Amino acid sequence: MQFKIKNGKGLKGEITVPGDKSISHRAIMLASLAEGKSKISGFLEGEDCLATIEVFQNMGVNISKSKGMFMVEGKGLKGLEGPTSPLDFRNSGTSVRLCSGVLAAQEFSSTLIGDSSLSSRPMKRITDPLSLMGANTSSSKEGTLPIRIEPVDSLKSIKYSLPVASAQVKSCLLFAGLYSEGITEIEEKVTTRDHTERMFKKFGIPIEESRYKATKFIKLDRVESINPMDIDICGDFSSASFFILAALITSNSEILIRNVGINPTRIGFLHALRHMGANIELQNKTDSFEPTADILVRTSELKGITLNTNLVANMIDEMPAFFIAASLAEGITKVKGAKELRTKESDRLQVMSEVLDSFGVKFQQEIDGITINGLGKAGMFRSAEINSHEDHRIAMASSIGSLRADGETTVLKCLNVKTSFPNFVDVCKQVGMNIERYE
Ligand code: S3P
């Protein structure tokens, strides 16, 4: 699938974006492990989260949809059934890493597989600490999928300092910690998204969080059972980020994005853009288990910045969009401490460098970051044919960047946009973008 985009101006509108991907995965997982019926509204029906549903259905959990709401008949922490075939996580890193923590504690064997992108992503970061907990896991010799998990008598809790800033690793260990003898203790030197901690609390699971300076400590005891819960999921900030970018870089634009999650561990992009001079207002803030707001964005003149490395983990999925903003800002933007970008659905430092090169931007790629020479407020990208390497966020960031190209741009290999934002093209059209999809 490819998108063709013409440059634009005057984007206007009030939109909503689909449900939060991270929260949707966690809601299905905890509801499946609870004892009884949970209802989930606002669930993201993207391929990644549908993969999580299928995985739990393959383990005997009854999950159905009625009137836009998902009903999950939870089987209890030990009630899952052994799957009769390999569990296919398709493109979803979050799903495979978080579910590994649950599967390591089951009384049945499982084999975890995924598509070619997921099969090249690092899994030792989860299998190593799970082994320390006594789990019996094996992966390919490169430390990638397929992962095979064999049952063990019991898991033991560990005290673990995360070697990489990864919410997926943290969450994998927290899920395993639900089953482990003793108290699981996790130390996080860089704070990553805390959706698992919030969702555990929402389901009534006692979890203790504390801080010393920048380091966060989490403690979790084994639990015997989980009560079901009704969950309402807000719009995904990462999906909203593309429309924040669109309004900022397109002349005479104003977009209001309703009911978006503004969890403080997710909105580094917003802080970075405001530092660059972006005109972004948060309205109608709510403070439920995940805070939300309506986000109003207007065209802004951006200036280059040296990105505070502390923000990187809290805007890791927004980096492709941030690189586009930096490319159209006045002056130089420097990003360091972002090596994790190389482990995503594609090597996002490399692939975004290729995108910027096609757009005619001058930049210097480094091992853990990039320095970008912004084209400034009057600058235009060279219209191009962009290869998104089947990475949904690269495809969407490049499509939005095309609003500032000097002609029509084609973005190739966009099929995976449906993993996180199935109606992306429709929402683009709602705000007045000239974009078409070709199968
Ligand atoms: C996610 C964590 C992040 C993020 C991913 C979703 C999560 O991955 O990139 O899209 O839901 O926990 P890492 O933990 O690998 O940084």
Side-chain angles (χ1 to χ4, degrees):
M1 182 187 291
Q2 43 183 266
F3 298 159
K4 284 189 188 296
I5 309 99
K6 294 204 173 77
N7 57 22
K9 54 179 188 271
L11 304 182
K12 304 266 177 223
E14 215 183 285
I15 55 171
T16 55
V17 291
D20 188 282
K21 181 153 79 73
S22 295
I23 302 174
S24 293
H25 285 300
R26 288 153 172 89
I28 291 292
M29 292 181 69
L30 280 167
S32 297
L33 300 176
E35 280 170 19
K37 285 189 188 159
S38 295
K39 274 193 232 139
I40 305 173
S41 57
F43 180 79
L44 167 63
E45 289 180 64
E47 292 292 310
D48 278 12
C49 299
L50 294 174
T52 299
I53 287 192
E54 244 176 65
V55 161
F56 281 93
Q57 284 173 332
N58 286 339
M59 295 191 288
V61 181
N62 194 351
I63 306 176
S64 57
K65 190 183 164 191
S66 154
K67 297 189 191 125
M69 198 116 77
F70 281 81
M71 319 290 168
V72 182
E73 292 177 34
K75 306 270 279 181
L77 281 158
K78 285 283 183 183
L80 299 176
E81 292 160 17
T84 50
S85 53
L87 296 170
D88 189 353
F89 292 87
R90 303 191 225 165
N91 195 244
S92 181
T94 306
S95 190
V96 75
R97 294 198 178 111
L98 270 57
C99 288
S100 299
V102 173
L103 293 167
Q106 303 304 313
E107 286 161 12
F108 52 78
S109 318
S110 50
T111 303
L112 288 59
I113 60 171
D115 70 6
S116 62
S117 155
L118 188 57
S119 299
S120 66
R121 295 178 67 185
M123 295 297 154
K124 261 174 81 65
R125 52 179 60 197
I126 53 162
T127 53
D128 281 352
L130 284 174
S131 301
L132 294 175
M133 294 175 101
N136 183 351
T137 68
S138 57
S139 60
S140 77
K141 67 177 187 309
E142 292 81 26
T144 55
L145 294 183
I147 293 177
R148 176 84 185 157
I149 301 180
E150 298 293 349
V152 289
D153 288 341
S154 64
L155 293 182
K156 56 178 186 297
S157 57
I158 52 168
K159 194 169 171 177
Y160 194 69
S161 179
L162 293 172
V164 278
S166 167
Q168 293 177 356
V169 176
K170 169 177 68 175
S171 303
C172 168
L173 302 182
L174 288 174
F175 274 100
L178 292 173
Y179 295 88
S180 308
E181 302 287 349
I183 307 231
T184 299
E185 289 185 57
I186 297 174
E187 184 182 292
E188 226 189 7
K189 293 201 181 67
V190 176
T191 305
T192 63
R193 64 188 67 195
D194 64 358
H195 300 300
T196 303
E197 295 89 310
R198 285 172 188 262
M199 190 66 84
F200 274 25
K201 286 184 190 157
K202 179 80 179 164
F203 275 84
I205 299 167
I207 180 164
E208 203 182 295
E209 295 168 273
S210 60
R211 265 186 188 284
Y212 180 70
K213 296 188 176 158
T215 307
K216 178 175 169 185
F217 301 90
I218 307 166
K219 284 188 187 175
L220 171 75
D221 204 350
R222 167 202 179 106
V223 295
E224 290 308 323
S225 64
I226 302 174
N227 290 327
M229 188 53 58
D230 290 348
I231 302 288
D232 189 16
I233 300 173
C234 53
D236 195 321
F237 182 84
S238 299
S239 299
S241 73
F242 299 111
F243 292 92
I244 296 176
L245 175 69
L248 290 175
I249 63 168
T250 311
S251 64
N252 194 28
S253 298
E254 181 173 314
I255 299 179
L256 179 67
I257 316 161
R258 292 239 185 248
N259 187 34
V260 183
I262 52 157
N263 179 319
T265 61
R266 285 287 296 282
I267 56 169
F269 183 63
L270 196 120
H271 298 304
L273 290 172
R274 279 183 168 160
H275 189 196
M276 294 170 92
N279 182 341
I280 306 174
E281 275 175 40
L282 298 184
Q283 304 176 339
N284 298 322
K285 287 194 196 175
T286 68
D287 201 8
S288 56
F289 83 109
E290 289 281 354
T292 69
D294 297 338
I295 305 180
L296 179 67
V297 195
R298 298 191 183 93
T299 312
S300 304
E301 283 178 22
L302 303 176
K303 55 181 191 314
I305 57 169
T306 296
L307 183 68
N308 179 344
T309 47
N310 294 328
L311 288 180
V312 170
N314 300 153
M315 57 187 287
I316 196 73
D317 289 345
E318 289 67 67
M319 279 299 179
F322 181 71
F323 291 176
I324 298 289
S327 303
L328 294 164
E330 198 72 50
I332 291 175
T333 293
K334 288 187 183 186
V335 177
K336 297 282 289 170
K339 205 168 163 195
E340 271 297 297
L341 287 175
R342 298 197 184 277
T343 69
K344 299 294 174 186
E345 286 83 332
S346 68
D347 174 344
R348 287 186 178 156
L349 276 174
Q350 174 57 29
V351 176
M352 276 310 292
S353 296
E354 291 169 22
V355 171
L356 298 188
D357 202 35
S358 309
F359 274 150
V361 177
K362 299 239 174 326
F363 64 90
Q364 179 68 45
Q365 187 192 154
E366 283 134 37
I367 301 280
D368 71 335
I370 192 165
T371 299
I372 298 173
N373 285 34
L375 296 168
K377 68 173 190 249
M380 294 296 274
F381 290 143
R382 195 166 60 207
S383 52
E385 189 171 88
I386 305 278
N387 184 346
S388 72
H389 290 258
E390 297 176 342
D391 182 327
H392 57 137
R393 299 204 194 278
I394 305 275
M396 290 186 278
S398 312
S399 300
I400 299 295
S402 309
L403 287 163
R404 282 278 292 273
D406 58 11
E408 186 180 80
T409 290
T410 303
V411 182
L412 304 172
K413 301 190 180 171
C414 296
L415 192 63
N416 279 337
V417 166
K418 69 179 194 284
T419 60
S420 65
F421 202 156
N423 60 340
F424 173 71
V425 169
D426 300 332
V427 182
C428 287
K429 286 183 176 176
Q430 261 180 47
V431 296
M433 266 178 74
N434 195 334
I435 178 169
E436 291 304 332
R437 174 183 32 214
Y438 296 88
E439 305 287 333

